[in-house]
Amino acid sequence: MSYLPKNLPDANLIVGLDTSDDAGVYKLSDELALVQTVDYFTPIVDDPYMFGAIAAANALSDVYAMGGKPLTVLNIVGFPVSKLDKKILAEILRGGADKVREAGAVIAGGHSIDDTDPKFGMAVTGIVHPDQVWTNAGACPGDKLVLTKPIGVGIVTTAIKRGKATPEAIKQVETIMATLNKAAAETAKNYTVHACTDVTGFGLLGHTAEMARGGCVGIEIDSTVVPMLPDTYSLAEQNVIPTGSKRNYEWLLDDVLYDDSVDELTRRILCDAVTSGGLLFSVPAEEADSLVADLKANGVEWAAVIGEVVADHPNKIRVR
Ligand code: CO
Ligand code: CO
Ligand code: CO
């Protein structure tokens, strides 16, 4: 992002501010690099335990998206101490701690402030071999794209806020957001990952556009096979689309070539902001089906091949 101040050059900073990647990567030795990331937000679901778990899964995800293993976590907490019962905060922290434990990491500390609204998230430090970093660059023409979680999360969580989501839909989206990308990342370690990112605030097409630009390649997405939460389309028909997702759609108009067969609502859904979304892998075509089968066998049930990388229309996405 151009408004960010420039660093002094440092050869050990393998991944820094310039490439809109998921986390910073700093080389300590020929065998070891640090992966560092931070993320926090206001509640997106009503259950404080689930909010904590989701915020943790989301923060940890950026380490997985770099091919790293999370080691230590610092909690970041904003809480209206005089307005809300401290038991709510205890539940948020418990949800977060359970996910950190599941990740095999430890909470090393944190910081909290009195705030007007609750906020929770984490700064996460992980490790990775400097030669095995997954960046969002590196996608090669001929690769297939594999996505590991469904989209529609922004739309369904907006429906929760507007009282339009069924209890089943709430439970489903909470479970998906709270699922760590650990199994997905560990499974993909056995494959040739040319590029990886996680799908979050800029939506599927926003993060796909970063991958296209990162590799200077074109990307084709088959909208009919992208995994999507069941209520997404009918909610979008009722205009239950968050403002951030509408903005994503506008921002991406120059990056995406939509086929006429792709209707307006589907275009919006493909740009819908995601919280704690899946990993998006670019892998050689001949490995894609076996990666998806392996992911499913390891509990990553939504995994699907959703498109391919091409040499045509570099930096742009075509949606069929
Ligand atoms: Co990310
Ligand atoms: Co992030
Ligand atoms: Co990455």
Side-chain angles (χ1 to χ4, degrees):
M1 282 170 254
S2 53
Y3 57 83
L4 289 169
K6 279 268 175 268
N7 280 318
L8 288 173
D10 185 333
N12 291 318
L13 188 65
I14 305 175
V15 179
L17 299 171
D18 317 326
T19 54
S20 322
D21 219 312
D22 300 293
V25 181
Y26 191 86
K27 185 169 147 182
L28 297 175
S29 72
D30 287 345
E31 276 77 49
L32 195 64
L34 286 179
V35 184
Q36 292 183 293
T37 180
V38 57
D39 231 317
Y40 66 98
F41 42 72
T42 53
I44 45 161
V45 295
D46 295 329
D47 179 339
Y49 177 87
M50 288 310 291
F51 169 51
I54 291 162
N58 179 73
L60 289 157
S61 176
D62 279 325
V63 173
Y64 293 123
M66 303 308 285
K69 173 183 155 47
L71 283 189
T72 59
V73 165
L74 303 173
N75 283 328
I76 299 162
V77 181
F79 196 77
V81 185
S82 52
K83 238 170 46 186
L84 285 182
D85 189 337
K86 289 230 192 52
K87 280 184 195 139
I88 295 174
L89 176 57
E91 278 298 282
I92 295 171
L93 293 174
R94 192 170 68 86
D98 280 353
K99 283 292 147 185
V100 171
R101 202 171 304 126
E102 190 185 327
V106 287
I107 298 169
H111 186 72
S112 54
I113 58 163
D114 192 3
D115 205 343
T116 46
D117 296 299
K119 297 185 185 77
F120 181 60
M122 293 172 170
V124 185
T125 300
I127 48 168
V128 68
H129 192 290
D131 301 335
Q132 287 157 22
V133 180
W134 297 340
T135 69
N136 57 18
C140 304
D143 282 0
K144 297 265 189 205
L145 291 183
V146 172
L147 178 66
T148 67
K149 285 189 190 181
I151 62 167
V153 171
I155 287 169
V156 174
T157 53
T158 299
I160 298 178
K161 291 195 181 111
R162 296 193 195 165
K164 286 189 167 190
T166 63
E168 297 75 41
I170 295 173
K171 190 161 189 330
Q172 183 181 39
V173 73
E174 282 181 346
T175 307
I176 288 167
M177 288 188 288
T179 300
L180 291 178
N181 281 328
K182 181 177 196 248
E186 285 173 355
T187 305
K189 290 259 160 74
N190 301 318
Y191 292 83
T192 314
V193 175
H194 285 152
C196 176
T197 191
D198 58 351
V199 174
T200 52
F202 299 128
L204 174 63
L205 293 189
H207 293 280
T208 303
E210 287 176 346
M211 200 177 262
R213 283 193 292 267
C216 211
V217 290
I219 287 179
E220 308 217 335
I221 299 283
D222 179 353
S223 62
T224 64
V225 296
V226 174
M228 202 176 282
L229 288 166
D231 298 331
T232 309
Y233 198 89
S234 63
L235 287 167
E237 278 181 313
Q238 303 165 58
N239 197 26
V240 183
I241 302 177
T243 316
S245 301
K246 290 180 177 163
R247 216 160 37 213
N248 286 344
Y249 173 79
E250 304 291 337
W251 276 343
L252 286 163
L253 282 173
D254 289 340
D255 300 291
V256 186
L257 317 154
Y258 295 100
D259 280 10
D260 290 341
S261 61
V262 183
D263 68 61
E264 196 60 33
L265 288 179
T266 302
R267 299 179 190 198
R268 305 273 170 168
I269 292 167
L270 292 170
C271 297
D272 183 35
V274 177
T275 300
S276 194
L279 296 179
L280 179 68
F281 294 112
S282 184
V283 297
E286 62 276 16
E287 295 185 29
D289 289 338
S290 139
L291 170 59
V292 168
D294 250 6
L295 285 165
K296 289 184 186 228
N298 293 336
V300 186
E301 54 183 316
W302 291 86
V305 175
I306 62 159
E308 61 195 325
V309 181
V310 295
D312 290 347
H313 52 83
N315 306 329
K316 290 198 195 292
I317 304 167
R318 189 182 145 213
V319 179
R320 283 177 269 133

